[in-house]
Amino acid sequence: MDKISRFNVVHRYEKRSLLVAINAVGSLAIFFFGYDQGMMGSVTVSIDWAVNVMKLGHVEPGTTQVITDNTLLQGGIIAVYYLGCLLGCLLGGWIAEKLGRIKVIALGSLWAIFGAALQCSAQNSDWMICARLINGIGTGMLNVIVPVWSTETAPHTSRGMFVSIEFFLNIFGVVVAYWLGFACSYVGGGYSPFVWRFPIAFQIIPLIFLFIVIWLMPESPRWLVKVGREDEARYILGRLRGEEVSGLAEAEFQDIRNVAELEKRAGQLNSYFHMFWDVMPKSLGGRSSGPLHIGRRVQLVVWLQILQEWIGIAGVTIYANDIFRQAGYSGQKARWLAGVNDITYMFSTLFAIFTLDRLGRRKSLYLGSIVMGISMFLSGGFSRAAITHKDKAAEYGAAAATFTFVFSAGFGATWLTIPWLYPAEIFPLQVRAKGNAWGVVGWSVGNGWTTLLLPIMFQRLNEKVFYIFGAVNVLTLPIVWAFYPESNQRTLEEMDLLFATNSWWNWEAERTYKMLKEQNPELVQAAQHGEGVVGTEASLKRGGGRGLSLVPHGDGEVHEKVVDHESD
């Protein structure tokens, strides 16, 4: 292909080796994301950063333990990063629809390098706040597009595995950040600026490498089809699926092209505002996406990410030192335990690599919520017992720490990956990057909210914060059961069928999906050949069949929506 650079790896590799190359580069971006999150856990307890530069507190007499007096400012410094992520994901999603996935990854890398340079040179809290905001914008760009790029190139039978591998590297980044910070804490007796400036600067190294190597990677074939570069898309798909089975690649190409055209006709208003407002009644300007129901999908991914943070991981990751201190450990032992917990967390993500495409998204979320909910309640109870029963504080503290480890393992095996994978799966091609941006918005809101409030919550509620996390885990069970359809083992082009019903209930989505495929043989072919739900329903109507009656609210209403959008 003359339009694809001769240095692009797509000319050298194909099938699994090409997918591995894409996965490795995506993992590098996700590694940076994890490192950037984990880094602040050691930075916030650095004496020079917290006491001398940020003016957040003081050193406890006779120790090197930082006591934070201004918890609101501490929370604000951490939380403003997530505001930057929110802005970056919206900007990145918009650019990605116009310029492609590769260019946004490159832009996000440069932006994050600039933010990291500002952070490691910060001289006061105002400087640090601005630097973290800028760094967050770059992170948001990477977060919004890397999962999309990965899912758009991976086979539908192994999307979960490929994204899980990337998030193994995400937690590896957390581990590297923590232990690098732990090692640096001994420099200068813990008082040196090197303790916090070097760990922040270290993230620039993988970012520079990412910026260089991303230009050697193939663009998403689905985005290429969307913008009319079909020859390049066909070639890349052939290399991804194997030229000796070019019929499979050609069939997938036709699926993508047909669905892209049908989605254009189904929903013309694809701005962020219209996507979010789509859930409102038509009389108020909603329902702009017609039977694609994009607004419902937006709400699902936003709240899934918010729930991900409130089940407890934000607190365990960033405030692990405080958690282990409340369990009866202090000083370097608490920091050591927090680091070991991160290692446990990292290896637990390997479980998702082998189970996510077997168990599915819903069962994995159920399993994680049950394990994490029990762990949080027990960790809180044992922490209280360690405080009230001083004679057995060591035993109760060890039990509390153990269930914190169990919580981290449960999260890494389940809830870590799915809220990032689900948004990249369920949105139509026309708005997939913007749809995933809404997922990152939810993550940013959830993270910003929790990191702003958690310092105050831990200060005033102590171990009772664990009970709040446990209660949220319980709450997720009926929410996932009722509202979240299963996306596992379904092609990206079949998602329009899954969200065809006007009802929000999962069982209605599954019932409609099943009936449309079972009672109309041409519908099965449509799912395999890229004909979206809009085209399928319209063809059944023209054929005089009863296909449209399978949609819960009746054939007249659905047909009316199709006609409305075709006439816009």
Side-chain angles (χ1 to χ4, degrees):
M1 285 298 299
D2 294 337
K3 294 182 180 179
I4 302 176
S5 168
R6 63 189 180 93
F7 299 107
N8 199 297
V9 298
V10 75
H11 301 305
R12 178 181 294 270
Y13 302 112
E14 66 173 337
K15 295 176 66 176
R16 187 171 184 82
S17 58
L18 180 56
L19 287 168
V20 168
I22 292 171
N23 198 228
V25 175
S27 297
L28 182 62
I30 300 299
F31 168 85
F32 155 72
F33 168 40
Y35 182 90
D36 208 37
Q37 277 193 297
M39 170 194 73
M40 288 306 292
S42 59
V43 169
T44 55
V45 295
S46 164
I47 296 172
D48 184 68
W49 185 87
V51 178
N52 300 333
V53 180
M54 301 299 140
K55 313 296 184 186
L56 295 176
H58 64 278
V59 179
E60 186 176 14
T63 71
T64 57
Q65 182 69 48
V66 172
I67 304 299
T68 302
D69 299 321
N70 193 339
T71 54
L72 182 61
L73 179 58
Q74 181 195 46
I77 290 172
I78 296 172
V80 74
Y81 169 80
Y82 299 104
L83 173 61
C85 288
L86 189 152
L87 298 174
C89 75
L90 295 175
L91 178 62
W94 179 74
I95 296 173
E97 300 292 9
K98 297 179 180 299
L99 301 182
R101 309 339 187 188
I102 298 298
K103 291 180 180 177
V104 171
I105 295 175
L107 178 61
S109 302
L110 280 180
W111 206 304
I113 289 170
F114 179 53
L118 288 176
Q119 278 192 87
C120 69
S121 59
Q123 301 299 316
N124 52 58
S125 59
D126 292 338
W127 187 327
M128 192 67 178
I129 288 171
C130 292
R132 283 187 59 75
L133 179 68
I134 293 170
N135 192 237
I137 292 174
T139 305
M141 289 184 185
L142 294 174
N143 286 356
V144 74
I145 209 58
V146 170
V148 170
W149 183 52
S150 298
T151 58
E152 288 184 338
T153 53
H156 75 278
T157 55
S158 55
R159 286 194 306 261
M161 180 186 71
F162 276 95
V163 176
S164 295
I165 291 172
E166 291 179 355
F167 276 87
F168 171 77
L169 270 294
N170 170 260
I171 307 308
F172 179 63
V174 174
V175 171
V176 170
Y178 190 89
W179 285 105
L180 181 63
F182 185 81
C184 290
S185 68
Y186 289 95
V187 177
Y191 287 85
S192 171
F194 183 88
V195 170
W196 66 273
R197 293 192 188 274
F198 178 75
I200 294 177
F202 182 82
Q203 65 188 293
I204 296 175
I205 298 173
L207 285 170
I208 291 174
F209 185 73
L210 176 63
F211 176 76
I212 294 171
V213 76
I214 192 61
W215 297 107
L216 307 177
M217 294 294 113
E219 182 56 86
S220 162
R222 286 174 164 84
W223 179 80
L224 290 170
V225 169
K226 174 188 169 184
V227 297
R229 294 161 59 179
E230 296 187 356
D231 290 341
E232 295 171 73
R234 182 182 274 112
Y235 175 75
I236 292 173
L237 271 174
R239 299 296 290 174
L240 284 167
R241 305 298 177 246
E243 293 181 346
E244 68 274 13
V245 287
S246 57
L248 178 63
E250 181 61 26
E252 185 174 354
F253 170 79
Q254 294 299 333
D255 290 353
I256 297 167
R257 185 170 64 175
N258 292 341
V259 167
E261 181 58 34
L262 287 163
E263 287 173 355
K264 285 181 183 178
R265 290 160 46 200
Q268 300 294 331
L269 302 176
N270 292 328
S271 68
Y272 283 119
F273 172 79
H274 286 105
M275 291 174 68
F276 186 80
W277 196 253
D278 189 57
V279 293
M280 300 300 292
K282 197 169 184 178
S283 59
L284 297 178
R287 307 288 177 85
S288 62
S289 69
L292 294 177
H293 299 117
I294 291 176
R296 185 195 312 162
R297 306 188 209 194
V298 167
Q299 294 298 320
L300 290 177
V301 302
V302 167
W303 286 103
L304 189 63
Q305 287 280 18
I306 290 175
L307 288 171
Q308 184 198 46
E309 299 310 316
W310 276 102
I311 58 180
I313 193 59
V316 171
T317 300
I318 298 175
Y319 297 99
N321 287 320
D322 295 325
I323 290 172
F324 288 117
R325 281 201 298 271
Q326 288 174 5
Y329 300 97
S330 60
Q332 291 294 83
K333 192 168 186 179
R335 296 190 65 187
W336 181 83
L337 280 171
V340 174
N341 180 61
D342 285 342
I343 294 176
T344 304
Y345 182 15
M346 178 185 71
F347 282 110
S348 71
T349 61
L350 295 173
F351 183 82
I353 294 174
F354 301 104
T355 62
L356 202 53
D357 290 318
R358 291 179 172 85
L359 291 179
R361 315 322 182 215
R362 285 163 55 85
K363 289 181 180 178
S364 296
L365 291 175
Y366 294 152
L367 177 62
S369 295
I370 292 170
V371 171
M372 292 184 295
I374 293 172
S375 299
M376 283 289 95
F377 284 122
L378 290 175
S379 185
F382 283 123
S383 293
R384 170 47 56 181
I387 295 172
T388 56
H389 300 282
K390 299 295 185 182
D391 56 325
K392 295 184 178 181
E395 292 87 343
Y396 287 130
T402 297
F403 282 105
T404 301
F405 277 60
V406 173
F407 170 87
S408 297
F411 181 87
T414 57
W415 273 80
L416 168 68
T417 302
I418 296 171
W420 293 98
L421 173 61
Y422 201 73
E425 291 182 311
I426 69 170
F427 281 98
L429 173 60
Q430 292 299 317
V431 292
R432 188 164 293 137
K434 287 183 178 178
N436 202 48
W438 277 114
V440 182
V441 166
W443 173 81
S444 302
V445 170
N447 248 309
W449 189 6
T450 53
T451 53
L452 182 63
L453 294 178
L454 281 176
I456 301 171
M457 291 171 65
F458 277 120
Q459 186 181 57
R460 298 184 180 181
L461 299 178
N462 295 314
E463 82 290 339
K464 296 181 181 66
V465 176
F466 298 132
Y467 303 143
I468 296 175
F469 292 151
V472 175
N473 276 284
V474 173
L475 181 63
T476 62
L477 292 170
I479 291 175
V480 171
W481 173 77
F483 298 113
Y484 287 84
E486 181 60 70
S487 61
N488 184 42
Q489 301 301 315
R490 288 166 172 164
T491 69
L492 298 180
E493 285 66 48
E494 284 183 289
M495 295 303 164
D496 290 346
L497 299 173
L498 189 59
F499 287 91
T501 178
N502 292 327
S503 172
W504 281 70
W505 302 117
N506 167 64
W507 52 87
E508 289 293 342
E510 293 290 350
R511 183 179 69 87
T512 302
Y513 176 87
K514 182 178 180 180
M515 285 194 297
L516 285 171
K517 296 189 72 173
E518 286 182 351
Q519 298 185 19
N520 302 279
E522 65 269 42
L523 195 58
V524 177
Q525 296 174 9
Q528 295 300 320
H529 291 87
E531 190 173 346
V533 65
V534 179
T536 300
E537 291 177 349
S539 66
L540 291 172
K541 183 70 176 179
R542 287 194 298 271
R546 295 297 300 162
L548 286 173
S549 65
L550 298 177
V551 178
H553 290 290
D555 53 10
E557 183 178 349
V558 174
H559 178 59
E560 194 173 74
K561 288 181 181 179
V562 175
V563 172
D564 284 348
H565 284 277
E566 288 181 345
S567 62
D568 281 346

